[in-house]
Amino acid sequence: MASNLDLVNEADSFHYHNDDKNVYRFTVAGVPAILGYITPPVQDALRGLPHWQVNDSAGTVILTGGSNRDERSAIMKQTLLAMRDKEQFQLLKKWRDEDFPVYGERQEVLLTFERCASPLFGIVTYGVHAIAYRPPPEEGEQIKIWVPRRARNKQSYGGMLDSTVAGGVASDETPFEALVRECEEEAALPREFVLKHATATGMVTNFYIRGERAGGETGLLQPECHYVYDLPLPSDIVCEKNDDEVEEFHLWTVDEIKQALANREFKPNCALVMLYFFIRHGILTAENEQDYIQIVARLHRRFEFPTR
């Protein structure tokens, strides 16, 4: 049985200061900011390629080609497609044709990135999560929360539990636009209802070291920012499977969700989002959780990279 702190340690598993000499800093020419961390297999794949410089003495991998967003993005896409064609990384088999942004120190987009490749360069990714719940009908009763089970044939975290709705924020898309889209696509929730009733409640950040359940290569680094929303639903609005991403939805009590968390049934970052929901709604408190202070602090990881 996992404790709540165990779940946090699993999803936020990278040490706070990069003192691993095998993990190189990813940068682009002319920009001083560190944009991500690159592990040895990816460093080796980039050695000697046009537009790339791997400097072992400095511990850096530099994208030397391109002077603007479009040029850098084109070089990155060309590099990743060549890696995919050579079957150098299993992760690239999940190519989505979805671009993620990489930000500079002034929040400018330095380049865009194929979504599935983000862990190869350890760049920050951005997602949205909605926790849809049914408020208690009477005082003293528990709220109930809609919990989906991911399709078992998914390459990443197949069969695990998720936030009610979750998805990535693409380039040139706002978090709220992504939320409304995902609610409609994944849970068949009415667009107008979501626009009116979804409430932004903050962010959860973590730095994950990918394991076997993530699919593809293990040991890759994934810093993540999650925009979190609450969505109270009346009894006449239900979450329904609307695509092949979800196997089924459950309407569970808090006690049922606590048991699933302890059983490690939730996708790691979704476990963090659920703990954050419990904290905000007074379900997880300093009185009933001995690791409360550490958990609250760790849900808001600080990064060395520029963010959105």
Side-chain angles (χ1 to χ4, degrees):
M1 301 287 286
S3 70
N4 291 327
L5 185 57
D6 289 335
L7 299 175
V8 173
N9 287 333
E10 181 178 356
D12 188 46
S13 47
F14 189 71
H15 41 81
Y16 249 87
H17 300 286
N18 176 27
D19 54 7
D20 186 343
K21 297 188 185 309
N22 292 318
V23 175
Y24 286 12
R25 302 181 301 278
F26 168 46
T27 66
V28 301
V31 177
I34 301 169
L35 306 178
Y37 289 145
I38 299 182
T39 55
V42 185
Q43 299 164 22
D44 292 340
L46 293 169
R47 290 182 190 275
L49 293 185
H51 309 298
W52 291 96
Q53 179 187 91
V54 180
N55 189 322
D56 294 314
S57 60
T60 58
V61 176
I62 304 173
L63 174 58
T64 58
S67 59
N68 57 47
R69 167 181 172 166
D70 291 343
E71 291 174 358
R72 296 188 194 104
S73 300
I75 293 169
M76 180 61 76
K77 184 172 184 179
Q78 182 182 25
T79 300
L80 293 173
L81 286 172
M83 289 179 174
R84 186 186 68 173
D85 292 344
K86 294 177 183 177
E87 299 184 348
Q88 288 179 288
F89 296 101
Q90 297 177 33
L91 205 64
L92 296 178
K93 294 180 180 179
K94 297 188 289 183
W95 195 278
R96 301 184 183 212
D97 276 324
E98 295 179 24
D99 288 336
F100 272 7
V102 179
Y103 292 95
E105 293 177 314
R106 297 184 300 277
Q107 298 190 0
E108 75 279 24
V109 178
L110 296 174
L111 71 155
T112 58
F113 220 97
E114 161 57 35
R115 176 177 177 176
C116 76
S118 57
L120 297 177
F121 289 77
I123 63 167
V124 179
T125 59
Y126 301 85
V128 291
H129 293 248
I131 301 297
Y133 63 97
R134 183 175 294 175
E138 297 182 10
E139 186 176 349
E141 295 188 8
Q142 287 190 353
I143 66 173
K144 292 186 176 181
I145 300 171
W146 287 99
V147 178
R149 187 173 297 279
R150 295 165 67 87
R152 297 178 193 273
N153 60 358
K154 283 183 69 69
Q155 292 176 303
S156 60
Y157 307 104
M160 299 192 76
L161 301 175
D162 229 330
S163 304
T164 311
V165 171
V169 181
S171 296
D172 303 317
E173 181 180 40
T174 70
F176 194 66
E177 287 170 346
L179 174 82
V180 174
R181 172 176 54 78
E182 293 288 349
C183 282
E184 196 169 25
E185 291 177 359
E186 291 190 357
L189 291 171
R191 178 181 179 85
E192 293 304 317
F193 182 89
V194 175
L195 286 168
K196 184 176 180 180
H197 295 282
T199 302
T201 59
M203 291 199 73
V204 169
T205 54
N206 63 290
F207 203 148
Y208 183 54
I209 301 176
R210 290 170 66 94
E212 291 184 1
R213 292 181 301 178
E217 289 72 20
T218 60
L220 297 175
L221 306 178
Q222 188 71 75
E224 301 176 313
C225 291
H226 312 283
Y227 297 90
V228 182
Y229 295 80
D230 276 2
L231 183 59
L233 298 181
S235 58
D236 61 337
I237 295 182
V238 301
C239 295
E240 297 178 315
K241 174 182 175 181
N242 198 36
D243 61 19
D244 57 5
E245 300 284 314
V246 174
E247 181 177 292
E248 58 185 343
F249 276 95
H250 305 280
L251 183 60
W252 277 352
T253 66
V254 167
D255 289 339
E256 288 174 309
I257 293 173
K258 285 181 177 179
Q259 186 61 54
L261 286 166
N263 292 339
R264 286 192 167 94
E265 293 183 58
F266 274 85
K267 184 171 176 277
N269 57 20
C270 295
L272 298 189
V273 171
M274 189 61 71
L275 291 177
Y276 185 49
F277 180 89
F278 284 177
I279 290 167
R280 288 183 290 99
H281 287 263
I283 297 166
L284 188 67
T285 68
E287 287 67 39
N288 61 29
E289 170 56 68
Q290 64 178 358
D291 299 309
Y292 182 79
I293 292 176
Q294 189 174 170
I295 289 169
V296 171
R298 293 275 301 283
L299 292 178
H300 302 94
R301 171 71 179 250
R302 293 184 65 184
F303 299 134
E304 297 180 69
F305 321 118
T307 52
R308 182 171 184 148

